[in-house]
Amino acid sequence: MRGVVLACGMMLAACGPSESASQKAMQVWVGKNMAEVVVQTLDGEVQPFKDLLLAEDMGGAGGKPVVVNVWATWCPPCIKELPSLDALGKSGKAKVIAIATDKDVRVVKDFLREQPYGTGMTVWHDSQGIVTRDKMGALALPVSYVLDASLTVVRVEAGVREWELEF
């Protein structure tokens, strides 16, 4: 129960001002390399972050910054942020990866089919947020990690951002 209360508090804190407690707590991830993190595609294929090091024409970031956003379909702030992330990806200024943490991947696929956006980002899946929580420290949603070309975290943002204005 204590963990649930802590997680709920972190989620609420993430939606606050940029200097919130969760924002400060997430800064411990700056400097960490994410190349060894592995999640799944929406089709259940193993998806290592290190694949982002490939040339862009092979699905990688091609030397661009990578914005990795952790979200869920049940999270209103997450849904509010997705169009901005999509616009950033379409602009070509960064590769955008959105990792859905819903338990059921069908819910994510159904949600995405109903949206007018989505072509500017790649959507991966982490059932119940286990990997994103344990390997990336994503205790609050939404949370975004800005990675450099070597997949090292250079910035972490807890809460909603207008991403097309950030780059």
Side-chain angles (χ1 to χ4, degrees):
M1 181 67 172
R2 183 173 157 225
V4 171
V5 171
L6 176 63
C8 288
M10 292 288 286
M11 282 184 213
L12 289 172
C15 299
S18 63
E19 288 300 314
S20 69
S22 64
Q23 176 70 25
K24 289 178 184 174
M26 293 303 298
Q27 298 314 303
V28 301
W29 294 94
V30 172
K32 306 283 185 180
N33 187 278
M34 296 292 177
E36 298 305 316
V37 175
V38 177
V39 292
Q40 294 183 333
T41 67
L42 292 179
D43 294 325
E45 302 286 326
V46 172
Q47 182 58 65
F49 274 40
K50 65 184 170 188
D51 285 358
L52 292 168
L53 296 172
L54 300 170
E56 189 169 0
D57 62 345
M58 297 176 67
K64 294 179 189 173
V66 180
V67 176
V68 178
N69 177 264
V70 182
W71 67 287
T73 61
W74 50 262
C75 169
C78 299
I79 304 312
K80 179 180 178 184
E81 185 175 42
L82 287 176
S84 177
L85 287 159
D86 189 58
L88 174 63
K90 286 179 183 173
S91 77
K93 295 177 183 174
K95 173 82 172 172
V96 177
I97 306 295
I99 303 175
T101 58
D102 296 76
K103 180 178 180 179
D104 188 344
V105 72
R106 290 175 299 183
V107 171
V108 178
K109 288 179 176 182
D110 290 346
F111 171 82
L112 292 171
R113 268 194 290 278
E114 296 172 4
Q115 305 311 312
Y117 54 82
T119 59
M121 58 188 169
T122 301
V123 181
W124 293 343
H125 186 239
D126 177 24
S127 180
Q128 301 179 51
I130 295 167
V131 173
T132 50
R133 183 177 50 248
D134 293 347
K135 303 288 184 191
M136 299 171 64
L139 299 177
L141 296 178
V143 63
S144 298
Y145 303 80
V146 179
L147 312 179
D148 66 14
S150 71
L151 303 182
T152 298
V153 178
V154 295
R155 189 168 118 209
V156 182
E157 297 292 344
V160 177
R161 297 284 179 275
E162 290 296 328
W163 285 98
E164 64 272 22
L165 303 177
E166 299 278 332
F167 283 83

